[in-house]
Amino acid sequence: MTGLFVGLEITSWRRNRRLLVALVATTLALVVATVWATTGDIGRQQARREASHEAREEWTGQGDQHPHAMAHFGDFVFRPSGSLARLDRGVQSRLGKVLRIEAHRQGSPFRSDASQAGTLARFARPDAAFLLQVIVPLLLVFLGGTGMAADRETGRLRLSLVQGARARSVLGGRFLALWGLGLTLLALVVGTSLATSAGLGEPALPDGRRLVGFVAVHALFFAVVAAGVVSATVWLRDARSALLALLGIWVVATAVLPRTTTGLASALYPLPSQDAFRTLLREARQAGPDGHDPRDAKLKQLREDILEEYGVDDVKDLPIDIGGLLMQADEDFGNQVWDEHYGRLGARLGRQSAVATQASLLNPFQAIDVLSMALAGTDLAHDLDFQRQAEDYRRALVASLNDEHAYGRALTGEGRKSSAAFYAGLDGFTYTRPSAGQALQPRLPALLALLAWCALLLAVVFRGGAHLERGTIP
Amino acid sequence: MMSLAVRFELRALLRNPAGLVALVGFLAVGALALVVGERHVAQWKDEVAQARLAQAEAVEEARSYLAAGVPGPEDKPRIDIRKPQWQDQLAGSRIVREPTPLAGIAAGAVDPAPAAFLVTRWARPLSATGYRIENPELAAGAVDLVFVLTLLVPLLLGVLGLGIGTRERESGLAPLIVVQAGGLRGWMVARTLTVAGLAGAASTLLCLVAGLVGGAGVAEVGQLVAFALGYTGLWSGLLLAVNARVNTVRAAAFGFGVIWTVLCILVPAVATEVAYGRVEQDFGIEATVDARAQRWGVWEMDVEDVLIELQARYPELDTDVEALSKDNENIARGAIEASQFAARLADELGHEREARHLAERAAWASPAVAVALGIERLAGVGADASSAYRHRLGQAVEARVDWVVHRAWADQPLTGSDFEALVAGTPEAFVARAEGLVLPSSALVLWGTVAWVLALAGLRRDPD
């Protein structure tokens, strides 16, 4: 019986020309957006590989050099795309793509796409996730928003019940039709992206677990939307009220609440300005040793300790190059300063994001947004993880160079230079993505919220069915 | 007819909970946008004040060394304030960027320039990022007055005005209106204008409050109100055009919804994709890897080649020297590096000009883009303002490099008066000018005209 009502619902959509046009337009938009985003992401990854290759070529092509010269020659690290960035770009466009790796210098990635895109950067980008999370629910509202209420107004519902249909079957059929449409569009998006990737010769399945998670959370989200639409049409008085209420909820949930959360998170956990943060770092750094100045008073004790360790009275008599050790002392101090200040900043950023996650308890649209970004690898947590790994790489690289400076071939090499082979032997940066589970862990409240919303709204639907059968809803 | 329509609409508003909720909600979100904007401006001003304080402290510290006759801090023996490269560092010169009175209304703009910039011979304006540390997850959803006007004004008009004429047709009251009011056409226009008046009054109120809170002048507030009212007028025309052509409220809602989605979401989104498509695959090889190679090349050049390059840039200097001090050699190499950077900055500003032209073309395709562009320019924030500021920074850095080179070449120890002259020569604060408003205004006028022509053409089918 439920299947019959699913079929009836789909038939009614086919017969309504306007709704059919909207459905076809949405489907086309999804396909175009997915192909565009997938192609763009593949191009981006290719450009990133080329940039990394070019940077590496330059590094290994420097020939024999002094280690500290190479420490300042440095490296560049280029941000990789999120695992499923072709489906959900998240906040990727606002994140810097390039990070400078150099001794005595830490910073944040720069050259974000948003900073170069001009005024248009303030508008949304229509990737598959945006369409699935904002436009498809609107489509489901128009497709299902008036059906039940219109059936009540015209007497069709009473006719169905009199003929032996159960109200729950009617409601179940509407719910399944809407949910099925959402799932079909979701499958279309995923299939299009995989087909486009395969067509361009890229690996079709970058991360299977994350993809399964992406599909699962969106399926859950569509269940919430479908149940919400059917609930509104059961419990509200007439078709117009149902449609208006659903549209109002859509506007509030997609446009107003997320922005209100932004203001709240910023007010609760304000961030320092760029200049204030840089000034703080600079002043803290200046309070420490300057490895470039052998006469620096703060390094005096270290010099004396080294002289004592080697049993000599003069730096010239040391069997090592003390410069390497002084540089590393400078570096260690800088790392401490960075860990303290940037760690505090990172914690504050995390607390802000936690407010957004908690807000998703009230708003399933925000819940799916944060879950989708987390699974796609395009959220703030992934950015901070990338920066942390890049900083670890920087520290390891600089420590290797300082070590070579102090103890290595630079001591005896011609012009105190180490060989090109040494530099080529130092590993470049490779980024290890967090697992799907690690990515989801901070967003568990959002997942639980979606599950709760789904259960609640389905309960409301079934309760509505019971009331319809008893006749307590006319 | 107008007074009848006004009374009718006001009564309908009071009886229509959805309309009241929409109007109150609009004003509430607008108020939130103003609060967020003012907080953003307060933080910006605070940063400017801190930058000025940091500069004052740096100058005081340097003056104390000069007064005491010492070269610099005791624990940093290589610093010598008698040398130009150290006076450059110790002057702590900053060019601040002050917010305009209306800066808060576009707090959600992507603005990559800082609020204050430390000018030294090593400063690189391209590496300076925005004045805010942003949480990217929150920044994408920032609420400002631009958002309220571009996205919510049409929705408010929709809630208040969908059904004008169509409800009468649906319920069979249209002939009654023709008989009693003299014509359905006039009735629909009058009611639409009333609804537009309500929405326009709400937008104007928000604009006036924004101007009052920011301390803006009459001209600036007038321009802002003109944008708000022009946009409201345009969407009123589109609302009337839809109502004139359909016979049911549902069809009107659908039609207006499609138009809103296309003009406010999809067209701007397509334009945004084009804008991002230009930069997404650009990992800045020229500004990073190639620039590093260039810089390295400068530091590996022979001294003779350095002097030749320097001569080309500073023909007035006597570069025919027998022995170049290490300091002057480093300064010369730094100057060559700085001129390479200036060329890259000019390139980057060229790319930003292209992004600006793209936004201007998009303004003709979508009134939402036109209004966003116009208001950002009026507010002096966003891509255009940041580009102008970075241009000024580039000029200041070039001037500072020139100063260091000339003082180093004079080869005389610098004095306190040299330092005071350097400090006094710090460029004034930068305040973005409201330029380029003609194009977005013209786009808005064109769209408004088209909307009302369509509306009046659609009304011709109704009996008068």
Side-chain angles (χ1 to χ4, degrees), chain A residues 68-337:
Chain A
H68 199 65
M70 287 300 277
H72 281 291
F73 183 80
D75 196 4
F76 289 99
V77 160
F78 302 95
R79 176 191 304 284
S81 262
S83 308
L84 298 180
R86 53 198 68 172
L87 295 176
D88 187 350
R89 292 185 184 117
V91 295
Q92 205 163 252
S93 58
R94 289 188 173 252
L95 305 174
K97 292 184 294 196
V98 189
L99 186 57
R100 175 79 176 128
I101 301 293
E102 190 180 351
H104 321 300
R105 175 183 158 159
Q106 288 124 323
S108 301
F110 58 96
R111 209 176 180 85
S112 70
D113 291 338
S115 66
Q116 299 174 275
T119 299
L120 293 168
R122 70 159 44 237
F123 291 99
R125 300 186 70 187
D127 57 8
F130 172 79
L131 292 170
L132 287 173
Q133 295 163 20
V134 176
I135 304 298
V136 169
L138 187 61
L139 178 71
L140 296 183
V141 163
F142 277 111
L143 287 172
T146 55
M148 189 69 194
D151 281 354
R152 294 218 315 263
E153 282 174 355
T154 57
R156 275 200 298 271
L157 175 64
R158 196 175 293 277
L159 198 60
S160 303
L161 294 176
V162 156
Q163 289 183 340
R166 296 198 64 200
R168 285 179 192 180
S169 301
V170 176
L171 297 180
R174 291 190 186 281
F175 166 78
L176 286 174
L178 290 172
W179 191 35
L181 177 62
L183 293 178
T184 305
L185 293 174
L186 177 62
L188 178 69
V189 159
V190 172
T192 304
S193 182
L194 294 177
T196 308
S197 302
L200 291 170
E202 285 286 315
L205 211 63
D207 189 324
R209 280 203 198 94
R210 282 176 181 257
L211 186 61
V212 166
F214 182 89
V215 169
V217 297
H218 278 86
L220 183 59
F221 172 68
F222 287 137
V224 169
V225 172
V229 170
V230 174
S231 303
T233 61
V234 169
W235 289 95
L236 290 173
R237 206 178 43 222
D238 53 47
R240 187 163 178 263
S241 303
L243 187 60
L244 272 179
L246 287 168
L247 287 175
I249 291 169
W250 179 84
V251 169
V252 168
T254 58
V256 177
L257 272 180
R259 285 169 163 80
T260 314
T261 309
T262 300
L264 181 66
S266 301
L268 286 174
Y269 302 107
L271 299 174
S273 65
Q274 280 282 7
D275 199 48
F277 183 69
R278 275 196 293 261
T279 303
L280 205 62
L281 271 179
R282 191 170 44 241
E283 285 171 0
R285 198 71 177 74
Q286 278 166 0
D290 178 359
H292 293 93
D293 186 357
R295 297 168 295 166
D296 192 300
K298 292 184 182 67
L299 294 171
K300 188 173 169 225
Q301 187 58 49
L302 177 62
R303 272 198 301 279
E304 283 170 6
D305 291 344
I306 293 168
L307 289 172
E308 195 182 316
E309 186 186 331
Y310 285 93
V312 298
D313 294 322
D314 199 309
V315 163
K316 291 193 203 65
D317 300 326
L318 285 169
I320 62 165
D321 187 334
I322 196 173
L325 299 179
L326 299 181
M327 292 298 178
Q328 190 57 40
D330 179 324
E331 200 61 43
D332 290 340
F333 181 81
N335 294 343
Q336 268 176 45
V337 167

Side-chain angles (χ1 to χ4, degrees), chain B residues 46-410:
Chain B
D46 187 53
E47 183 167 340
V48 167
Q50 282 182 27
R52 288 194 164 119
L53 182 64
Q55 177 171 330
E57 284 173 354
V59 167
E60 276 316 301
E61 188 183 337
R63 282 175 179 153
S64 71
Y65 301 142
L66 288 163
V70 298
E74 223 178 282
D75 59 342
K76 301 219 183 287
R78 69 183 179 132
I79 294 177
D80 185 348
I81 200 169
R82 294 163 301 184
K83 294 185 178 175
Q85 63 268 36
W86 291 111
Q87 283 208 355
D88 165 47
Q89 291 279 101
L90 294 171
S93 305
R94 285 163 167 84
I95 300 179
V96 298
R97 181 181 160 205
E98 289 188 353
T100 64
L102 290 176
I105 65 176
V110 175
D111 192 320
F117 187 76
L118 179 65
V119 177
T120 68
R121 66 191 178 107
W122 294 118
R124 299 291 177 253
L126 275 183
S127 62
T129 50
Y131 53 90
R132 294 176 287 196
I133 295 180
E134 286 182 332
N135 183 327
E137 288 180 4
L138 304 184
V143 63
D144 60 3
L145 199 60
V146 173
F147 161 76
V148 171
L149 292 177
T150 54
L151 290 185
L152 299 190
V153 159
L155 294 179
L156 177 64
L157 281 167
V159 173
L160 294 177
L162 275 173
I164 292 176
T166 54
R167 205 165 285 131
E168 286 85 333
R169 286 193 206 102
E170 233 176 350
S171 58
L173 284 173
L176 192 65
I177 301 294
V178 171
V179 162
Q180 289 190 345
L184 190 60
R185 224 182 294 164
W187 175 245
M188 289 176 69
V189 171
R191 282 188 65 193
T192 303
L193 287 175
T194 307
V195 160
L198 283 169
S203 317
T204 303
L205 177 64
L206 292 175
C207 294
L208 289 175
V209 172
L212 193 67
V213 168
V218 170
E220 287 159 314
V221 175
Q223 280 171 324
L224 179 62
V225 169
F227 271 119
L229 290 179
Y231 194 63
T232 306
L234 141 73
W235 277 97
S236 311
L238 290 173
L239 177 69
L240 184 57
V242 168
N243 282 332
R245 279 172 169 74
V246 298
N247 290 320
T248 64
V249 175
R250 205 161 155 212
F254 183 81
F256 193 73
V258 166
I259 293 175
W260 179 83
T261 305
V262 168
L263 291 183
C264 294
I265 307 287
L266 288 181
V267 171
V270 168
T272 303
E273 274 306 312
V274 173
Y276 275 108
R278 288 178 52 249
V279 301
E280 225 169 19
Q281 295 181 21
D282 174 14
F283 279 84
I285 299 290
E286 287 120 5
T288 55
V289 177
D290 292 352
R292 178 182 61 178
Q294 253 189 341
R295 198 168 68 241
W296 214 246
V298 170
W299 292 89
E300 287 186 332
M301 279 164 77
D302 291 334
V303 173
E304 292 77 24
D305 293 331
V306 170
L307 289 171
I308 291 169
E309 287 274 350
L310 195 71
Q311 172 81 90
R313 283 165 178 76
Y314 301 99
E316 69 278 14
L317 291 180
D318 175 19
T319 55
D320 187 18
V321 292
E322 279 184 18
L324 194 61
S325 69
K326 198 67 193 162
D327 276 350
N328 282 7
E329 184 187 328
N330 287 345
I331 286 169
R333 291 183 193 273
I336 296 168
E337 199 190 311
S339 69
Q340 288 172 349
F341 171 78
R344 282 197 299 279
L345 178 63
D347 266 346
E348 195 62 31
L349 293 175
H351 293 319
E352 289 175 5
R353 262 196 306 279
E354 285 169 22
R356 202 155 54 238
H357 293 150
L358 179 61
E360 286 173 348
R361 286 200 294 276
W364 293 104
S366 163
V369 173
V371 166
L373 182 66
I375 294 180
E376 278 191 11
R377 286 179 174 177
L378 182 62
V381 295
D384 296 356
S386 78
S387 198
Y389 180 56
R390 285 217 285 244
H391 177 67
R392 168 86 81 85
L393 296 181
Q395 289 176 325
V397 170
E398 274 185 62
R400 181 56 65 87
V401 169
D402 291 348
W403 182 88
V404 170
V405 167
H406 282 98
R407 292 296 181 284
W409 237 253

